[in-house]
């Protein structure tokens, strides 16, 4: 927040940082025979005062210290202050930084995303989350169940972690949200621009037949999409011919960045399920360049 660094982008910048008694605290007291003395917990966040400072263009700095109405000062957990503030402000995002990646079990593989239900199951499991991240994931889960849209847990040891999390679609940390970050669902008319972004490059290459916007809009009920963070990254269609007991699988496309991870197979499986539910006995596909992919998955 320095404004005095010469020959830097911050030279001459005017930043106002506002702090104060935005956090009201109460003592933890005596628990299990231990007197926690000057350690406390958040009692209230002055959301009105914080919003007033933000509207003035100030950066609001909340320290891990809270004040009681009687003038006492208490040490607080930083993640508790951040979570309580995010909930009080109904923030779009809560970002928590820790010293290690969020992993589970013995595999040690980074968990990229969790719903609140999945996070709670991992927190309750014996071989669940690694110990170092548990307080942050607990805080993130609580925030998301109380109105915060998303919470991100980041390993601050990763150089540029904050920038990469915010300015790349997949990020480098762990995302917690109430709803899944990536979902497969029936397409809506509002998805047509996203579908066109996927299929137009393949139409130009001759891989797909050309579909106009009007054709997509009129037949949108036939389409499924995979949506990731508000962006359509995959689609497929089932054109039914019930009089012949057959259905055509069409327009199965994935964004080039997401052609690994079995998303295509998931789309195919969902189309097969829809065909079966509709009473169709056979499913066929017309393709000029991807026949082997379909043969590998049971087509003849």
């Amino acid at each position: 927040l320095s404004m005095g660094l010469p020959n830097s982008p911050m030279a001459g910048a005017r930043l106002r940082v506002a702090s104060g008694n935005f956090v009201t605290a109460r003592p933890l007291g005596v628990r299990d025979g231990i007197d926690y003395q000057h350690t406390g917990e958040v009692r209230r966040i002055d959301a009105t005062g914080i919003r007033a400072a933000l509207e003035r263009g100030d950066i609001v700095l909340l320290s891990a210290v809270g004040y009681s109405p009687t003038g006492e000062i208490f040490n607080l957990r930083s993640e508790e202050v951040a979570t309580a503030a995010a909930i009080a402000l109904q923030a779009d995002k809560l970002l928590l930084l820790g010293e290690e990646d969020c992993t589970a079990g013995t595999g040690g593989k980074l968990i990229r995303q969790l719903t609140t239900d999945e996070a709670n199951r991992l927190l309750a499991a014996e071989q669940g989350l690694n110990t170092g991240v548990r307080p942050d994931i607990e805080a993130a889960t609580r925030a998301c169940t109380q109105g915060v849209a998303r919470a991100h847990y980041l390993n601050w040891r990763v150089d540029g972690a904050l920038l990469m999390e915010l300015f790349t679609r997949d990020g480098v940390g762990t995302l917690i949200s109430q709803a899944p970050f990536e979902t497969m669902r029936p397409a809506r008319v509002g998805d047509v621009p996203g579908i066109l972004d996927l299929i137009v490059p393949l139409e130009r290459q001759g891989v797909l037949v050309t579909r106009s916007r009007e054709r997509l809009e009129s037949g949108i009920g036939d389409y499924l999409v995979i949506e990731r963070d508000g962006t359509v990254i995959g689609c497929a269609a089932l054109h039914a011919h019930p009089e012949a007991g057959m259905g055509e699988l069409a327009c199965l496309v994935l964004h080039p960045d997401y052609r690994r991870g079995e998303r295509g197979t998931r789309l195919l499986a969902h189309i097969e399920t829809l065909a079966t539910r509709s009473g169709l006995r056979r499913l066929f596909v017309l393709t000029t360049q991807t026949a082997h992919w379909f043969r590998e998955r049971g087509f003849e």
Side-chain angles (χ1 to χ4, degrees):
L1 302 175
S2 172
M3 296 183 290
L5 294 174
N7 301 317
S8 79
M10 295 308 299
R14 299 301 303 168
L15 295 176
R16 290 194 306 270
V17 180
S19 190
N21 59 342
F22 294 123
V23 182
T24 302
R26 58 176 171 242
L28 276 178
V30 178
R31 302 190 180 189
D32 296 325
I34 299 172
D35 186 354
Y36 284 88
Q37 299 184 1
H38 297 290
T39 299
E41 59 186 2
V42 176
R43 178 176 176 182
R44 186 175 64 87
I45 298 290
D46 182 5
T48 302
I50 292 174
R51 287 196 184 96
L54 293 174
E55 288 170 3
R56 293 195 303 268
D58 296 353
I59 295 172
V60 176
L61 175 63
L62 301 179
S63 64
V65 171
Y67 305 87
S68 75
T70 56
E72 298 169 291
I73 301 174
F74 294 99
N75 297 313
L76 306 172
R77 289 169 48 223
S78 58
E79 65 268 16
E80 183 189 4
V81 174
T83 303
I87 293 170
L89 295 167
Q90 291 295 278
D92 293 327
K93 289 179 184 286
L94 168 65
L95 293 119
L96 299 157
L97 279 75
E99 295 189 351
E100 55 187 294
D101 289 334
C102 178
T103 60
T106 57
K109 186 177 180 180
L110 173 67
I111 300 174
R112 304 304 299 269
Q113 60 195 58
L114 290 167
T115 63
T116 50
D117 289 341
E118 291 169 341
N120 282 324
R121 285 196 293 270
L122 281 173
L123 289 166
E126 186 174 336
Q127 293 292 326
L129 295 167
N130 44 325
T131 305
V133 307
R134 292 182 70 87
D136 293 300
I137 300 303
E138 287 172 351
T141 304
R142 183 163 70 90
C144 289
T145 56
Q146 296 188 47
V148 177
R150 291 177 183 168
H152 302 251
Y153 172 80
L154 306 175
N155 182 348
W156 64 261
R157 298 178 187 274
V158 176
D159 189 26
L162 185 59
L163 292 174
M164 289 189 286
E165 182 71 9
L166 293 178
F167 293 103
T168 64
R169 184 167 293 139
D170 292 339
V172 295
T174 300
L175 172 70
I176 296 96
S177 60
Q178 276 206 301
F181 181 56
E182 181 176 304
T183 58
M184 184 186 301
R185 58 171 176 78
R188 302 184 286 261
V189 172
D191 297 317
V192 169
I195 295 173
L196 285 170
D197 286 343
L198 291 177
I199 67 176
V200 167
L202 297 177
E203 290 173 354
R204 290 172 180 163
Q205 297 170 28
V207 177
L208 291 177
V209 297
T210 302
R211 292 171 174 83
S212 66
R213 178 184 290 267
E214 292 74 18
R215 180 180 172 187
L216 284 171
E217 290 177 351
S218 62
I220 197 66
D222 291 352
Y223 285 78
L224 291 172
V225 295
I226 297 178
E227 181 183 26
R228 184 177 180 84
D229 195 20
T231 301
V232 174
I233 65 166
C235 67
L238 173 63
H239 302 315
H241 303 280
E243 69 285 350
M246 303 175 72
E248 178 190 356
L249 166 61
C251 199
L252 197 158
V253 183
L254 288 168
H255 188 282
D257 293 343
Y258 298 96
R259 289 177 182 166
R260 291 177 295 275
E262 299 299 314
R263 291 180 178 87
T265 301
R266 284 170 47 211
L267 277 168
L268 172 59
H270 203 87
I271 291 289
E272 289 174 339
T273 300
L274 291 175
T276 301
R277 289 176 181 171
S278 300
L280 304 178
R281 298 186 301 277
R282 304 191 74 179
L283 189 66
F284 68 92
V285 61
L286 303 175
T287 180
T288 58
Q289 300 182 28
T290 57
H292 282 232
W293 189 88
F294 289 101
R295 284 178 175 170
E296 291 166 7
R297 286 155 181 81
F299 283 74
E300 297 177 353

